[in-house]
Amino acid sequence: MVNTRSKIKKIQNTINLWFSKAAMADNNHLATESGALIGSNDDLLIEILLRLPVTSVLRFKSVSKHWRSLLSNRRFTLLFKNASFSPGFFGFFGRSLYIPFDDENRSTPPFRDLDFYPDPHGIKIVQSCNGLLLCCSNEGDERVRKYYVFNPTTKQFAVIPSILGGMAVRETILFMALAFHQTDCVHYKVVCFYFPEPDDVVKVQIYSSETGKWKISDDYISLPDYYIPPLDYIVFWNQAIHWVPFGDKSYFKLDTEEFQSLPLPVRVASSEAYESMDHFMTLYFGESRGHLHLVKRVDPSESRLQMNVFEMLNDYSGWFLKYRVDLDELPDAYPEMINSYFDPLSLGYYIFEVLDVVRGEHEEEEEETFMVIRVPGKVIR
């Protein structure tokens, strides 16, 4: 494994050096025979550039107009997205931290801290979406909170203007969500879900970076008995904003601006005591490489520490069980995750959090898929 990583690193350095020389030759019109071959063959050029990190690809856009056009073409961006792999993720643990997926092959984070804007309350990450980050003020209520969209690769950011309706509407915001897919559209959207009392409904406003304006959507959902949908996880997938399936409506479709329902997964709890706590057994809801996942605890009375990883079918017809994850050996390695004040068969006996489910690049190679879990004081893969 280590030798393989070393070889990959050497190849990447060689490619970077090769293209730096080719770039200089292209700019000065002094291309060597190999440089001319590469420069005249777009297919060969794409195959090599797909193997470079995003920072190198962005740098090579300045080589020439031809290269910029090639690297900005939708064909390349789609291939590059499918070939690229994120080396880590940003999590908020009191402050925003970069967590590398591979401790033996740590990569440099795109940024060290969120100081791109002088917000007096500090800035935290709300959501990530296909390379962009939705951020907001770390402290203060919704009346004074600012929202930002930040591109960690280019270091560019935008301050999102306040939603329509003034202060009275701002203080009823339930959550904000970011929608962006670089291969479908260069523009992003920020979707605001709010609860304007005394209507007892959730309404939606949508901000478009293309127009720079908010618009109020016509659709809404009613909240009987003051029920607020669970908002633990907000996910953009299949051109829609999703939250943990619970109750009637579970996602908002952006192209039609309509609320829709997700089917509920098969209950994993067999006993009545845990069936009534089904929502509290949800450990994670998120997307990886185009797959929507829902992670739930298995009934502790049956298995002490097991999880089911469900995946949603692309046509929304239902969930299927993708993985059964056994973590029974984890407390032996990390005894600090045991809460001895609770009963061993209760949900609170183990202190841990599922941060991410990361699918491998190749669907047929299941060993490339992994899970990121947080236990007290540690984040483990």
Side-chain angles (χ1 to χ4, degrees):
M1 181 69 72
V2 175
N3 290 336
T4 302
R5 292 192 183 112
S6 178
K7 289 179 181 178
I8 291 174
K9 192 171 184 179
K10 288 180 180 178
I11 292 172
Q12 183 173 302
N13 290 337
T14 301
I15 292 176
N16 273 314
L17 179 62
W18 180 15
F19 269 92
S20 294
K21 291 180 178 180
M24 292 173 61
D26 195 356
N27 277 336
N28 297 321
H29 304 287
L30 297 174
T32 61
E33 184 177 348
S34 60
L37 175 62
I38 297 170
S40 61
N41 190 328
D42 285 353
D43 291 334
L44 177 60
L45 191 60
I46 287 174
E47 283 299 317
I48 297 175
L49 287 169
L50 286 175
R51 289 157 174 79
L52 296 180
V54 64
T55 50
S56 298
V57 172
L58 291 172
R59 187 169 66 248
F60 290 143
K61 281 187 177 182
S62 61
V63 167
S64 65
K65 290 182 178 180
H66 174 227
W67 281 39
R68 182 175 184 84
S69 174
L70 183 70
L71 298 179
S72 302
N73 187 274
R74 188 177 185 274
R75 174 196 173 198
F76 177 81
T77 56
L78 182 60
L79 290 172
F80 186 74
K81 177 182 181 294
N82 292 333
S84 62
F85 181 75
S86 174
F89 77 104
F90 286 92
F92 186 76
F93 311 105
R95 61 191 180 95
S96 296
L97 296 175
Y98 178 75
I99 308 296
F101 285 147
D102 189 347
D103 194 59
E104 295 181 8
N105 189 26
R106 287 175 172 264
S107 58
T108 303
F111 58 91
R112 296 288 179 182
D113 48 47
L114 295 170
D115 60 353
F116 57 84
Y117 186 85
D119 192 311
H121 302 286
I123 297 175
K124 68 177 181 180
I125 298 171
V126 176
Q127 177 199 354
S128 64
C129 186
N130 293 315
L132 296 184
L133 298 177
L134 176 64
C135 305
C136 75
S137 304
N138 189 21
E139 298 176 355
D141 57 31
E142 286 293 352
R143 293 175 298 174
V144 297
R145 183 168 292 158
K146 290 182 180 293
Y147 285 87
Y148 315 89
V149 172
F150 177 54
N151 187 330
T153 302
T154 63
K155 308 295 177 67
Q156 294 177 314
F157 72 93
V159 180
I160 305 302
S162 297
I163 64 173
L164 305 175
M167 197 68 70
V169 174
R170 288 190 65 183
E171 61 186 8
T172 67
I173 293 176
L174 291 174
F175 65 91
M176 292 275 203
L178 180 63
F180 173 66
H181 197 287
Q182 63 269 51
T183 58
D184 292 340
C185 182
V186 297
H187 304 285
Y188 61 83
K189 293 181 179 179
V190 178
V191 187
C192 175
F193 296 79
Y194 60 105
F195 182 55
E197 297 180 350
D199 296 341
D200 293 341
V201 296
V202 172
K203 294 185 177 180
V204 178
Q205 292 191 28
I206 303 172
Y207 172 84
S208 170
S209 64
E210 184 176 16
T211 63
K213 297 179 180 179
W214 288 96
K215 61 170 291 190
I216 300 175
S217 176
D218 293 331
D219 202 10
Y220 60 88
I221 54 175
S222 300
L223 295 181
D225 301 324
Y226 300 98
Y227 163 74
I228 301 294
L231 307 174
D232 308 76
Y233 307 93
I234 306 301
V235 181
F236 176 66
W237 180 71
N238 262 6
Q239 299 301 310
I241 303 295
H242 302 74
W243 48 93
V244 176
F246 187 81
D248 185 27
K249 304 294 184 180
S250 298
Y251 69 98
F252 181 77
K253 199 165 173 56
L254 284 172
D255 56 353
T256 60
E257 297 187 14
E258 293 177 325
F259 284 94
Q260 300 286 343
S261 297
L262 275 180
L264 297 175
V266 176
R267 291 190 181 276
V268 296
S270 59
S271 65
E272 271 185 40
Y274 290 106
E275 192 170 319
S276 62
M277 299 177 65
D278 187 67
H279 170 61
F280 296 99
M281 298 177 74
T282 297
L283 299 174
Y284 173 81
F285 182 62
E287 178 271 345
S288 177
R289 293 190 180 274
H291 304 276
L292 186 65
H293 300 123
L294 177 66
V295 181
K296 283 182 167 287
R297 279 285 302 272
V298 176
D299 188 338
S301 65
E302 279 190 0
S303 174
R304 291 184 22 159
L305 194 53
Q306 284 193 340
M307 298 179 291
N308 286 329
V309 181
F310 295 96
E311 181 177 334
M312 170 58 68
L313 295 168
N314 285 334
D315 61 359
Y316 290 99
S317 58
W319 299 91
F320 65 93
L321 183 63
K322 182 66 177 178
Y323 306 107
R324 167 68 66 87
V325 183
D326 189 342
L327 298 178
D328 283 340
E329 297 179 1
L330 202 61
D332 295 331
Y334 304 97
E336 61 269 26
M337 67 181 290
I338 297 177
N339 188 348
S340 58
Y341 293 101
F342 282 77
D343 184 278
L345 295 181
S346 70
L347 291 175
Y349 184 67
Y350 295 110
I351 306 171
F352 72 101
E353 180 183 2
V354 178
L355 298 180
D356 209 354
V357 175
V358 183
R359 295 293 285 269
E361 179 180 349
H362 304 99
E363 186 67 27
E364 65 278 4
E365 298 182 15
E366 292 290 350
E367 65 272 12
E368 294 183 356
T369 297
F370 59 90
M371 182 178 285
V372 182
I373 297 177
R374 181 190 183 191
V375 299
K378 298 180 179 66
V379 174
I380 58 178
R381 168 174 169 169

